[in-house]
Amino acid sequence: MTSFRVNGRDHDLDLDPDMPLLWVLRDELRLTGTKFGCGIAQCGACTVMVDGMPRRSCVTPIGQIEGSEVTTIEGMDGSEVKAVQAAWTAIDVPQCGWCQSGQILSATALLQQVPSPSDDDIDNAMAGNICRCATYVRIRQAIHDAARTLEG
Ligand code: FES
Ligand code: FES
């Protein structure tokens, strides 16, 4: 049995502890906002928060997160993610959308740590999130816009 919280709800799951968290989120808990891209920690599409830090759920066995708090795109809340989502919408960041929940999670984590990131800060923080539609310029712009919103 593996126990952890997802988006504020307790789960006790009788599953193989080696099962990737991404499988559990999508197939067992039906939280399909987190996407499968590469499966080998190279694209960032599967990013979720584990105890407040971004993590690649495709390579995170559930046995490693016993007792942890997992937050997916469906459960994200707080001023940073609200500012990010508003900025994303304002300039139409997504194209196909597949990578975008991972992008938003990583952008939110960046703004929680660095309230006024430089272009280099953004490029470094977002380097692990690949976008096949190459929305990188709009992602960077939206992060700057969200930071300005949060500065008030
Ligand atoms: S699916 Fe996890 S990093 Fe690509
Ligand atoms: S918006 Fe299509 S992969 Fe990023």
Side-chain angles (χ1 to χ4, degrees), residues 3 23 92 117 129 150:
S3 302
W23 275 225
D92 288 332
N129 288 82
L150 289 164

Side-chain angles (χ1 to χ4, degrees), residues 94-100 103 130-133 135:
Q95 195 159 318
C96 81
W98 193 257
C99 71
Q100 295 289 322
Q103 304 280 3
I130 305 300
C131 176
R132 287 171 299 179
C133 304
T135 62

Side-chain angles (χ1 to χ4, degrees), residues 22 35-47 56-59 128:
L22 179 59
K35 304 302 185 191
F36 173 79
C38 64
I40 52 170
Q42 296 297 305
C43 77
C46 66
T47 305
R56 306 300 188 234
S57 61
C58 69
V59 291

Side-chain angles (χ1 to χ4, degrees), residues 47 49 52 54 71 73 76-85 88 100-115 125-126 143 146 150:
T47 305
M49 297 288 197
T71 308
I73 188 71
M76 289 293 285
D77 198 10
S79 56
E80 288 88 358
V81 74
K82 285 182 177 146
V84 166
Q85 288 175 318
W88 245 243
Q100 295 289 322
S101 63
Q103 304 280 3
I104 288 169
L105 271 280
S106 292
T108 300
L110 168 64
L111 290 174
Q112 287 170 343
Q113 313 258 326
V114 184
M126 304 301 290
I143 292 172
L150 289 164

